[in-house]
Amino acid sequence: MKNAISLHDHFLRQILSDKNIAAEYFKNYLPHSVGQHLDFNTLIQLPDTYLSEDLKKSMCDIVYSCQKKGESSTVKVSLLVEHKSYPDKYSPVQIGGYIFSALQKQVAGKKPLSVVIPVLLYHGRGKWRYQTVADLFKDTAAEWKKYIPDFDYVCNDLGELADADVERLKNKFLAASILALKHSVEKEWLERNAVKLLILASKGPMYLQTGFIIYLYDRVTLDDKKILTSLPKPIRKTIMSTLDIYIEKGRKEGLEKGIEKGTEQKSREVVKNLLATRKFSISEIAELAGVAEAFVRRLATVAKT
């Protein structure tokens, strides 16, 4: 199985990169006090990123801008979606890093500052414990607390959503995706509901359907006859063709990695033999073996220890 966190990131990024699905998500899961002021027809995904290299390692960078109703085009609200599949009390610090990075970029671009509304989407085990940056400094003396930056964020805990309510969403592909994320660690639930999920997902664009199939395939066995025979023929055909491409791609990547590993091992043996002769310099060995000098130096260091 692929690394679970990176798989969730990729799946969520793919889903919310579709403007219509993103608009449906924000309409349903932003607080009414926020959503009522936004014109979702102006929703635009930002192609650039506000995340530093460190933040990229821990955050799924999905950013939209949206104009406020009845105001000029220069007044915007930036919406960040960050997802978590496990409890992390330091999430407010990560989100704060994003907020200030975004504001700094606006300043550098000489643009009017726009509000940044962070949305944390959580689909892990157990309930998410909402806390802010200030909550991390509970034992700090009162006179020091004024120096602690603080802000709120929107927390969308999928575990708090009733499945029946999710299924009633207008966008059925979004409904299927939220249910799959919510129950991502419940293999038995996914197997029991795979047919329903695949039928709901079939209402989405084809490129998103294939992504959904691959995500679900990573968690349950989709070639099970009971699942496939219960599906309409067009959906069954899409699943089989998608899995054929996915599995073949996996085989090809595995073969390429095997070849690469074998080549590296062969080069390692050649370098070791040349080092053992004590007749050649590092640069000469690198040229003879067709490898980088750093590779030779690393093996030479290991040989001395």
Side-chain angles (χ1 to χ4, degrees):
M1 181 180 289
K2 293 181 179 180
N3 177 275
I5 295 178
S6 63
L7 184 68
H8 293 317
D9 281 345
H10 178 76
F11 182 52
L12 186 62
R13 183 188 299 276
Q14 187 179 45
I15 296 167
L16 293 181
S17 290
D18 183 286
K19 178 181 175 179
N20 293 328
I21 293 176
E24 179 78 359
Y25 173 78
F26 290 131
K27 285 177 185 177
N28 284 276
Y29 297 116
L30 281 178
H32 179 68
S33 59
V34 174
Q36 68 175 332
H37 297 295
L38 299 180
D39 180 1
F40 291 106
N41 292 321
T42 67
L43 197 68
I44 299 175
Q45 186 175 15
L46 303 182
D48 53 353
T49 178
Y50 294 138
L51 299 186
S52 66
E53 290 302 318
D54 288 338
L55 285 173
K56 285 179 182 178
K57 296 175 184 177
S58 59
M59 300 182 73
C60 184
D61 182 19
I62 306 169
V63 186
Y64 274 90
S65 69
C66 190
Q67 292 175 208
K68 294 171 71 176
K69 291 178 180 177
E71 298 194 22
S72 68
S73 59
T74 58
V75 179
K76 296 182 180 180
V77 173
S78 296
L79 302 165
L80 156 74
V81 177
E82 156 63 347
H83 110 277
K84 287 289 181 183
S85 57
Y86 58 92
D88 183 358
K89 71 176 184 178
Y90 294 114
S91 289
V93 177
Q94 295 175 336
I95 294 173
Y98 166 81
I99 292 173
F100 285 104
S101 180
L103 294 175
Q104 286 175 337
K105 188 160 187 177
Q106 292 175 22
V107 171
K110 297 182 179 180
K111 297 178 180 178
L113 293 182
S114 63
V115 178
V116 177
I117 300 178
V119 181
L120 188 144
L121 190 155
Y122 172 66
H123 62 98
R125 294 179 182 273
K127 185 177 180 179
W128 180 268
R129 182 187 173 193
Y130 184 93
Q131 55 183 353
T132 65
V133 173
D135 292 326
L136 300 176
F137 293 87
K138 286 183 178 179
D139 296 330
T140 303
E143 61 267 25
W144 292 94
K145 287 188 176 181
K146 63 182 178 181
Y147 300 107
I148 298 171
D150 202 19
F151 52 85
D152 288 333
Y153 58 92
V154 178
C155 181
N156 182 203
D157 185 347
L158 299 190
E160 297 291 295
L161 304 179
D163 289 355
D165 291 339
V166 175
E167 288 182 45
R168 282 193 283 270
L169 287 173
K170 183 178 179 181
N171 189 301
K172 298 307 176 186
F173 181 86
L174 176 61
S177 300
I178 288 177
L179 289 172
L181 283 165
K182 177 184 175 182
H183 298 283
S184 60
V185 295
E186 303 172 48
K187 184 176 180 181
E188 291 184 2
W189 188 95
L190 291 173
E191 288 177 343
R192 287 197 313 270
N193 293 275
V195 172
K196 176 173 67 177
L197 292 176
L198 289 163
I199 291 175
L200 287 172
S202 69
K203 308 299 182 182
M206 184 58 68
Y207 79 98
L208 288 180
Q209 287 186 50
T210 57
F212 183 88
I213 291 167
I214 291 170
Y215 181 78
L216 197 59
Y217 173 76
D218 194 77
R219 331 208 81 64
V220 300
T221 306
L222 289 184
D223 56 0
D224 184 273
K225 289 183 179 180
K226 184 178 178 181
I227 293 176
L228 291 178
T229 54
S230 301
L231 290 165
K233 189 174 180 180
I235 301 177
R236 195 185 321 155
K237 185 177 179 181
T238 300
I239 291 172
M240 295 310 296
S241 61
T242 298
L243 293 183
D244 284 346
I245 294 170
Y246 179 64
I247 293 170
E248 182 58 35
K249 181 182 178 182
R251 289 195 186 112
K252 183 179 179 182
E253 289 176 350
L255 178 61
E256 289 173 349
K257 287 181 180 178
I259 293 172
E260 182 180 341
K261 187 175 181 180
T263 301
E264 182 179 339
Q265 183 59 36
K266 186 175 180 180
S267 298
R268 189 183 300 272
E269 292 173 2
V270 171
V271 170
K272 283 182 177 180
N273 290 335
L274 290 171
L275 285 168
T277 67
R278 299 178 182 275
K279 294 180 180 180
F280 304 98
S281 66
I282 294 293
S283 59
E284 287 172 334
I285 292 175
E287 185 175 352
L288 288 169
V291 298
E293 289 187 17
F295 182 78
V296 179
R297 288 194 190 93
R298 187 164 62 250
L299 291 182
T301 302
V302 172
K304 291 177 181 178
T305 58

